[in-house]
Amino acid sequence: MDATLGLPILVILIAVALLFDFLNGLHDAANSIATIVSTRVLRPHFAVFWAAFFNFIAFMVFGLHVANTIGTGIIEPEVVDATVIFAALAGAIVWNVITWALGIPSSSSHALIGGLVGGGMAKAGISAAVWSGLSKTLLAIVLSPLIGFLLALLLVAIVSWLSVRSTPFAVDRAFRVMQFASASLYSLGHGGNDAQKTMGIIGVLLYSQGHLGAEFHIPFWVVLACQAAMALGTLMGGWRIVRTMGLRITKLTPMQGFCAETGGAATLFMATFLGVPVSTTHTITGAIVGVGAARRVSAVRWNVASSIVYAWVITIPAAAAVAAATYWAVMALR
């Protein structure tokens, strides 16, 4: 572990972590608003304000289970020092910027996890990993989009059966109103799961420097700062990825948008309460594919969906590689 950092360096590292949180909100704004924008229920700028509000208040609903997993369940807390944290954030930020520029909805969550693994292993080798927590996270890469897909598919079937006697106009009007609720729930789940990852990073940094005492916990000011940074990032939008998520995977109606958001939100709520750091990007993509496939398999643009899956597969190793290179570069300059 590094010697105790001076206050200016500590503040700079916390600022870099909050920058990642801001970019997470910017990058993942599409997760919260893509469906409600693509169905034209809300205009993009109104939608981001709506999503940002629910992103911010998420800490009032959820505990801090995900933050604790990130702080102590990915790499051993004893391995963590300022250089590891800086390398982890560098890996995550670089990968986020690359995928944002290309309009690819990759996972900010898994970029951060990859960064942590890369930085930790660059310092201490394979023994740095907490395999129980890491394996749970890797399993969620597969399960979260699958659960989102199945829940959205089930919801489409249920809603279609319940609406069989209604006119298409009446169904469309009803679900335009209901999408406000489903988008709110998804934004709440996004803020609850994703902002906690940065809380865990800042928490373990403070713990490694002896600022939290003998027991790891997340100070309330860290909670507020992370929720605010994510909400601000969401306000800035992320229109390249909105287009991919909301328009290019499949064409959505308000009813399908409601089912995708509700299925995705249910998945995020379950994962957050269980303390599993899942990808909100993976979850909503799975749900959107689910509602498209419910109409007909050919309604999904599988070439777009497959390119997104490729980005998922390489996110953790790519961010880990950048983080490891950053760690070794910093150590070489010392």
Side-chain angles (χ1 to χ4, degrees):
M1 186 180 295
D2 287 351
T4 303
L5 297 171
L7 183 60
I9 301 298
L10 185 62
V11 169
I12 289 170
L13 281 173
I14 291 172
V16 173
L18 292 175
L19 172 63
F20 167 77
D21 208 24
F22 171 83
L23 290 173
N24 192 342
L26 176 72
H27 191 277
D28 288 2
N31 300 343
S32 301
I33 66 171
T35 52
I36 202 169
V37 169
S38 68
T39 56
R40 294 177 174 80
V41 171
L42 270 182
R43 291 184 179 181
H45 290 87
F46 290 119
V48 292
F49 274 101
W50 186 267
F53 172 75
F54 286 98
N55 271 195
F56 178 73
I57 66 169
F59 73 93
M60 301 178 183
V61 177
F62 301 101
L64 297 176
H65 309 300
V66 173
N68 289 322
T69 297
I70 292 292
T72 61
I74 302 297
I75 59 172
E76 296 289 351
E78 294 77 15
V79 171
V80 175
D81 59 25
T83 309
V84 169
I85 292 294
F86 177 75
L89 291 169
I93 288 171
V94 167
W95 186 247
N96 265 3
V97 170
I98 290 171
T99 52
W100 174 80
L102 295 174
I104 300 170
S106 68
S107 168
S108 298
S109 307
H110 293 138
L112 181 60
I113 289 163
L116 268 176
V117 171
M121 288 189 176
K123 178 184 178 181
I126 269 184
S127 62
V130 178
W131 291 106
S132 58
L134 189 56
S135 60
K136 180 170 65 173
T137 301
L138 294 175
L139 183 62
I141 292 177
V142 177
L143 290 184
S144 62
L146 180 60
I147 293 170
F149 175 92
L150 293 174
L151 286 177
L153 199 65
L154 178 63
L155 281 167
V156 169
I158 293 171
V159 166
S160 298
W161 181 74
L162 291 174
S163 306
V164 70
R165 296 181 182 276
S166 301
T167 64
F169 176 78
V171 171
D172 186 79
R173 183 174 59 183
F175 280 101
R176 282 182 176 274
V177 175
M178 292 172 70
Q179 256 205 286
F180 284 98
S182 60
S184 302
L185 289 173
Y186 195 86
S187 295
L188 200 64
H190 173 256
N193 200 283
D194 270 20
Q196 287 195 43
K197 291 149 191 169
T198 307
M199 294 177 204
I201 286 287
I202 295 175
V204 76
L205 174 63
L206 293 171
Y207 179 72
S208 73
Q209 297 301 306
H211 292 291
L212 299 184
E215 187 174 342
F216 178 85
H217 65 279
I218 307 295
F220 186 60
W221 69 265
V222 173
V223 174
L224 288 179
C226 290
Q227 296 288 173
M230 173 157 288
L232 185 60
T234 301
L235 281 176
M236 300 299 291
W239 309 120
R240 293 172 183 266
I241 298 172
V242 168
R243 183 170 177 269
T244 298
M245 296 290 288
L247 302 175
R248 291 181 59 200
I249 295 176
T250 188
K251 185 179 178 181
L252 296 173
T253 65
M255 183 269 278
Q256 292 168 327
F258 168 83
C259 292
E261 289 162 344
T262 304
T267 306
L268 291 181
F269 274 51
M270 286 187 290
T272 304
F273 282 120
L274 291 172
V276 180
V278 299
S279 166
T280 54
T281 308
H282 293 196
T283 304
I284 195 63
T285 303
I288 290 173
V289 171
V291 297
R295 186 165 69 245
R296 63 181 188 279
V297 173
S298 61
V300 178
R301 296 184 179 95
W302 294 103
N303 60 325
V304 176
S306 62
S307 68
I308 292 170
V309 171
Y310 297 147
W312 293 353
V313 171
I314 65 172
T315 289
I316 287 181
V322 174
T326 302
Y327 180 87
W328 289 323
V330 171
M331 295 305 291
L333 291 171
R334 288 188 169 184

